[in-house]
């Protein structure tokens, strides 16, 4: 009796279908942060980097952040600042945060993580004897970070494999470069997944079009020829008539029982190129970069390329620079040290690529008495100082080098005995 009841219950209860990771259900992608799109293409940080516009945007931002010099400065009583080369953090931030990663590569990789990964990019601070010993990037391919915001202050947990339990890390020991996405759990790639998926589909369709020739050049219809041998003969005759460079542009005469239909690309199909261009612009909007940064130079001219470069610095890079500076100051400097030191990028690194612009900038700063000649030599050209180059003087308007006060004589003719 009991077995009969159980057998009926099994028949009435639908079987639970199991799926492996080899052919997952769509909800599995949602679970692991890789939701499918309306076009059916699954977009992840790794697949997004196979999309040329995304790769260009990520590399443009992350490599620019990596190339900028990062210094620790000491605040001076007069409101100025000077490099604090003797501070323990100076070498970690300027040279290398650990023994195997240069500073430029370290900042580039974490910035790329913040652009691609959910929640952003992470690095762990290793402290010894109360001081910072090294800073290690947490590679998302090797470990995963979970964040709990339930108590407002984030709680971080690091999981390195599927066997060991997650290890809690204090927020003070985590450098967290936040994602610019409104929903941190999705990340910027998750929020832009529809635009990225469209660009990927257009790229793949273009590859298939030219790789497999999905559209034939034309179709010949034969009315009375139905056997394979007859079709093969007519095909050979057709190729002999229209094939080869010598037959290019010739008029073709065909029998009455044959018809020809052209299937080559029309002007409507040419809109495909405009769709690809629009997809590039959409991705540029998500990453907040100008299209010319993605090598789309339709509206870039010799006159506006300089202003476009300045726009990239002010509109795209400055928000990332401020994120870096404030996060490093918050996590690496004590409250007492924040009153004495500041961590800042040196934006003069952008002018190094243009010798003329760098020379003009240094000359203008010296003439305005912002820099001394020796400071301009060091900042702009990495040259050693020379004697007498520490004076703040505009040499175009001063008589310093023509017997004035700076050479030990008076510029005032009324007080000069020899002039009287």
């Amino acid at each position: 009796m009991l077995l009969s009841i159980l057998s009926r219950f099994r028949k009435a209860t639908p079987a639970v279908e199991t799926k492996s990771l080899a052919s997952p259900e769509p909800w599995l992608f949602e679970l692991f942060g890789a939701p499918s799109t309306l076009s059916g293409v699954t977009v992840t940080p790794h697949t997004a980097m196979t999309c040329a516009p995304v790769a260009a945007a990520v590399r443009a931002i992350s490599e620019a952040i990596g190339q900028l010099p990062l210094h620790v400065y000491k605040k001076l009583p007069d409101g100025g600042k000077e490099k604090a080369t003797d501070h323990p953090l100076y070498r970690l931030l300027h040279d290398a945060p650990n023994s195997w990663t240069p500073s430029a590569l370290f900042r580039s990789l974490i910035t790329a993580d913040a652009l691609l990964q959910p929640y952003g990019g992470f690095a762990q601070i290793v402290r010894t004897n109360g001081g910072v010993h090294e800073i290690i990037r947490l590679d998302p391919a090797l470990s995963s970070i979970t964040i709990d915001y339930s108590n407002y202050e984030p709680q971080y947990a690091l999981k390195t494999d599927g066997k060991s339990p997650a290890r809690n890390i204090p927020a003070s020991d985590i450098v967290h470069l936040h994602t610019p996405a409104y929903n941190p759990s999705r990340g910027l790639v998750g929020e832009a997944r529809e635009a990225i998926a469209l660009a990927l589909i257009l790229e793949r369709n273009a590859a298939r079009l030219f790789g497999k020739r999905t559209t034939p050049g034309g179709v010949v219809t034969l009315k009375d020829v139905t056997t394979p041998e007859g079709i093969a003969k007519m095909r050979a005759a057709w190729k002999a008539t229209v094939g080869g460079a010598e037959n290019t542009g010739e008029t073709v005469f065909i029998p009455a029982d044959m018809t020809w239909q052209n299937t080559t690309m029309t002007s409507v199909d040419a809109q495909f190129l405009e769709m690809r261009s629009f997809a590039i612009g959409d991705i540029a909007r998500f990453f907040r970069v100008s299209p010319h940064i993605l090598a789309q130079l339709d509206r870039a001219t010799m006159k506006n390329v300089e202003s476009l470069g300045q726009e990239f610095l002010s509109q795209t890079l400055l928000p990332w620079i401020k994120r870096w500076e404030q996060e490093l100051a918050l996590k690496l400097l004590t409250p007492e040290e924040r009153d004495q030191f500041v961590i800042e990028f040196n934006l003069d690194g952008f002018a190094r690529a243009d010798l003329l612009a760098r020379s003009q900038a240094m000359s203008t700063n010296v003439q305005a008495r912002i820099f001394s000649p020796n400071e301009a030599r060091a900042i702009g050209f990495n040259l050693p100082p020379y004697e007498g180059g520490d004076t703040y003087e505009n040499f175009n308007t001063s008589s310093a080098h023509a017997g004035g006060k700076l050479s030990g004589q008076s510029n005032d003719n009324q007080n000069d005995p020899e002039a009287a």
Side-chain angles (χ1 to χ4, degrees):
M1 182 71 176
L2 179 60
L3 291 175
S4 176
I5 295 175
L6 288 175
S7 62
R8 285 187 223 165
F9 179 76
R10 289 194 188 98
K11 292 180 181 179
T13 306
V16 177
E17 182 182 4
T18 59
K19 281 281 186 180
S20 68
L21 290 179
S23 57
E25 289 282 5
W27 63 268
L28 279 175
F29 288 111
E30 291 279 356
L31 178 64
F32 290 103
S36 60
T37 60
L38 296 176
S39 58
V41 176
T42 300
V43 177
T44 66
H46 294 285
T47 59
M49 282 299 287
T50 64
C51 180
V54 175
V58 171
R59 291 186 59 186
I61 297 174
S62 61
E63 291 176 359
I65 294 296
Q67 76 174 1
L68 287 175
L70 182 61
H71 301 289
V72 179
Y73 293 97
K74 183 178 181 181
K75 298 179 182 179
L76 300 178
D78 58 359
K81 59 186 179 182
E82 64 180 5
K83 293 180 183 178
T85 55
D86 56 344
H87 195 283
L89 289 175
Y90 189 89
R91 290 188 177 274
L92 287 177
L93 297 179
H94 182 267
D95 299 333
N98 49 62
S99 60
W100 62 89
T101 311
S103 178
L105 178 62
F106 173 79
R107 286 181 273 118
S108 294
L109 292 175
I110 293 185
T111 305
D113 291 341
L115 287 163
L116 295 168
Q117 301 291 336
Y119 292 106
F122 301 92
Q124 184 176 0
I125 304 170
V126 180
R127 304 180 190 270
T128 56
N129 300 325
V132 179
H133 177 65
E134 60 184 4
I135 311 171
I136 303 173
R137 170 186 173 243
L138 298 178
D139 190 344
L142 304 176
S143 58
S144 60
I145 288 281
T146 59
I147 309 176
D148 182 9
Y149 288 102
S150 58
N151 294 325
Y152 295 101
E153 181 181 357
Q155 304 292 324
Y156 297 91
L158 174 64
K159 192 172 183 62
T160 56
D161 55 53
K163 300 178 182 179
S164 305
R167 176 168 56 91
N168 294 327
I169 302 178
S172 58
D173 290 338
I174 288 289
V175 174
H176 183 188
L177 191 64
H178 289 257
T179 174
Y182 183 75
N183 185 351
S185 64
R186 289 191 179 275
L188 193 59
V189 168
E191 291 187 345
R193 64 185 185 276
E194 297 293 347
I196 297 174
L198 176 60
L200 286 173
I201 288 177
L202 293 173
E203 287 181 0
R204 294 172 184 176
N205 286 345
R208 292 190 187 100
L209 175 64
F210 294 101
K212 295 184 178 180
R213 291 293 299 170
T214 55
T215 302
V219 176
V220 177
T221 304
L222 305 174
K223 294 182 180 180
D224 297 329
V225 181
T226 57
T227 63
E229 295 80 5
I231 294 176
K233 290 180 179 180
M234 292 300 299
R235 182 179 181 182
W238 180 265
K239 283 188 173 182
T241 304
V242 301
E246 67 276 4
N247 293 323
T248 302
E250 291 288 340
T251 303
V252 180
F253 297 90
I254 59 176
D257 56 351
M258 294 177 59
T259 57
W260 163 260
Q261 182 181 357
N262 187 9
T263 59
T264 55
M265 182 176 292
T266 64
S267 59
V268 176
D269 300 320
Q271 298 296 321
F272 174 80
L273 299 177
E274 294 185 6
M275 290 180 63
R276 292 202 66 185
S277 178
F278 177 81
I280 294 174
D282 239 5
I283 291 174
R285 296 181 188 99
F286 272 103
F287 285 91
R288 287 203 65 185
V289 296
S290 296
H292 83 281
I293 298 295
L294 308 185
Q296 189 174 22
L297 306 176
D298 298 347
R299 299 186 178 180
T301 64
M302 293 297 294
K303 293 183 178 180
N304 67 2
V305 69
E306 182 179 355
S307 60
L308 289 174
Q310 182 62 34
E311 178 189 347
F312 176 65
L313 172 61
S314 60
Q315 300 297 324
T316 303
L317 292 185
L318 278 183
W320 289 102
I321 290 172
K322 290 302 178 184
R323 282 191 182 97
W324 268 106
E325 291 176 346
Q326 295 186 1
E327 180 69 12
L328 292 176
L330 178 66
K331 301 297 178 64
L332 300 180
L333 297 177
T334 64
E336 294 77 16
E337 286 181 317
R338 291 175 210 152
D339 295 332
Q340 305 175 21
F341 299 93
V342 62
I343 299 174
E344 288 184 357
F345 285 92
N346 183 5
L347 301 184
D348 294 336
F350 279 109
R352 289 186 177 274
D354 190 341
L355 177 61
L356 178 60
R358 186 164 77 248
S359 302
Q360 291 175 344
M362 293 300 105
S363 177
T364 302
N365 283 312
V366 170
Q367 293 177 21
R369 293 182 293 180
I370 299 174
F371 292 159
S372 68
N374 282 340
E375 290 173 336
R377 287 166 61 87
I379 295 174
F381 306 97
N382 198 25
L383 294 174
Y386 65 87
E387 185 178 356
D390 293 324
T391 302
Y392 294 89
E393 191 75 19
N394 187 340
F395 302 107
N396 295 327
T397 60
S398 171
S399 58
H401 297 279
K405 287 182 178 181
L406 295 180
S407 60
Q409 301 183 25
S410 174
N411 288 331
D412 188 355
N413 292 334
Q414 297 178 356
N415 299 326
D416 193 342
E418 296 182 3

